[in-house]
Amino acid sequence: MSFISLGLSPALLRAVSAKAYLVPTPVQVAAIPAALQGRDVLGSAQTGSGKTAAFALPLLQQLENTASESPRRARALILVPTRELCAQVGEEIRALAAHLARPVKVSIVFGGVSINPQMMRLRGGADVVVATPGRLLDLVDHNALVLSHVTTLVLDEADRLFDLGFAEELGRILNLLPAQRQNLFFSATFPPAVQALAQTLLRDPVRVEVLPEPQSQPDIVQRAIAVDAGRRTQLLRHLIAQNHWRRVLVFVATKHAAETVADKLRKARINAEPFHGELSQGKRTQVLADFKASRLKVVIATDVAARGLDIAQLPVVVNYDLPRSSVDYIHRIGRTGRAGESGVAVSFVSVGTQAHFRLIAKRQGLDLQLEQIEGFEPTEVAVAAGAGPDPATGGIKGKRPSKKDKLRAAAARGQTPM
Ligand code: AMP
């Protein structure tokens, strides 16, 4: 299958080849022809599947075929859950629009930065608006933008829009849009809120469900390492040095942990920065730019960074703290091994998080052996109140070892199948 056979215009084919996209990805093969026919699309696709181009190319082709007004009225609206995804999607659309005969103006608007420059840039209008919901409504309230001419609405990472509490804003935005429009709707998962929205929003949609085939799955080696919780930073330093890792994205559970681990690494002369929701937008942008330009070796992030970020050549992701859910696990490890590159995803598992890891592994159908690294063999065992662990069994002294105790003891010897 080639891009030409999907029915794309010469200007868009030029842009695709300038981006060095040789063949369309499965989600592009399935979604582009349907969207070009004006059909609604309900897409479920893995992170890194190429879904941005899957909705951006047809949307741009429709703009190309219709004259732009003056002043420009937004004709395509793309709603995304995070600032980073907003910038990333907007940049991809700009690149794909680069060769169109009539220039397409793409406005990228998100919260956390001053609204005034965004209002200035919207003077004279915009053809395509990529936005986070809250800031979009602020701009509408300031009369900087009207949505009454939108002919295509894209919801990108719809599940995440709900996770982040945008339901009310979404409702308001939908009321501002013309009823007659095309809807392109992408989500990694379909919880009830997303299903309900899809049912009310979409008209006879073409369902695009790209199941990952073995050969199209990102090439990610997954590892799980048993380590005492208190020795994780040391182990991280050891792995970075031993494996000569040049660029590592480390996930932790809290902003505080992001700050502390980054601090400890810096004290060990490893160039590291935290990345979380409480940093200013300027700082977040700078950390990402430094990371992408290899001025930073390690970024310690909360789940703010788990979705949508596209950092080319990110070889290693480390789960310093395990993610809360197996879906988050997939999003985190999806940061590496993107667009055909290989990657390594390492999870640190302490005695306290073993059960949780087993659950994630089971949900993902992973069959991972819990490894031990020489010099970092775990010594901790689960302790019940008032009783000490029995070093021989890993169980509690004075009790017969339970099935769990036996599993723990086996894990400590590095034999637990995960
Ligand atoms: P996305 O799922 O839209 O975030 O895309 C993931 C990555 O795949 C991005 O780096 C895109 O630039 C890249 N990409 C998208 N489509 C293609 C394609 N047809 N061939 C190669 N890379 C692609």
Side-chain angles (χ1 to χ4, degrees), residues 3 54 58 61 96 103 118 273 278 311 342 350 378 386 396 403 409:
F3 276 105
Q61 185 143 324
L96 294 173
Q118 293 179 354
E273 285 286 345
E278 243 162 55
I311 300 163
S342 61
S350 62
I396 306 300
K403 203 170 159 195

Side-chain angles (χ1 to χ4, degrees), residues 3 16 19-25 27-28 46-55 85 88-89 92 156 308-312 338-340:
F3 276 105
V16 159
K19 291 221 63 161
Y21 297 171
L22 301 179
V23 288
T25 64
V27 68
Q28 291 163 359
Q46 294 281 104
T47 298
S49 59
K51 63 184 157 62
T52 312
F55 63 72
L85 192 60
Q88 208 169 282
V89 167
E92 170 124 10
D156 193 7
L309 291 191
D310 180 26
I311 300 163
R338 288 170 71 84

Side-chain angles (χ1 to χ4, degrees), residues 79-100:
L79 291 176
V80 297
T82 64
R83 305 161 192 179
E84 283 74 25
L85 192 60
C86 197
Q88 208 169 282
V89 167
E91 290 310 329
E92 170 124 10
I93 298 178
R94 280 186 184 147
L96 294 173
H99 301 287
L100 298 180

Side-chain angles (χ1 to χ4, degrees), residues 87-155:
Q88 208 169 282
V89 167
E91 290 310 329
E92 170 124 10
I93 298 178
R94 280 186 184 147
L96 294 173
H99 301 287
L100 298 180
R102 264 195 304 263
V104 164
K105 185 172 164 194
V106 181
S107 269
I108 301 171
V109 295
F110 49 76
V113 292
S114 164
I115 196 168
N116 290 332
Q118 293 179 354
M119 287 174 61
M120 301 277 278
R121 281 198 294 275
L122 280 168
R123 280 197 187 148
D127 300 294
V128 179
V129 176
V130 187
T132 52
R135 176 54 57 93
L136 182 80
L137 284 170
D138 287 346
L139 288 163
V140 171
D141 290 344
H142 281 83
N143 297 319
L145 189 65
V146 286
L147 299 178
S148 52
H149 288 64
V150 169
T151 52
T152 308
L153 168 70
V154 179
L155 293 192

Side-chain angles (χ1 to χ4, degrees), residues 236-250 265 269-273 287-300 311-318 336-337 341-344:
L236 180 60
R237 284 171 47 193
H238 171 81
L239 292 173
I240 291 172
Q242 194 189 44
N243 298 295
H244 308 288
W245 285 342
R246 291 167 295 107
R247 201 184 279 169
V248 190
L249 180 59
V250 178
L265 292 181
R269 296 174 187 281
I270 294 174
N271 206 354
E273 285 286 345
V287 169
L288 274 188
D290 287 348
F291 197 39
K292 286 183 183 180
S294 296
R295 289 187 291 269
L296 260 181
K297 189 181 262 197
V298 188
V299 166
I300 319 283
I311 300 163
Q313 291 164 356
L314 176 60
V316 188
V317 167
V318 175
T336 182
E341 286 158 11
S342 61
V344 181

Side-chain angles (χ1 to χ4, degrees), residues 270-287:
I270 294 174
N271 206 354
E273 285 286 345
F275 186 83
H276 54 73
E278 243 162 55
L279 298 176
S280 70
Q281 186 54 39
K283 178 72 182 171
R284 279 163 70 165
T285 310
Q286 187 204 326
V287 169

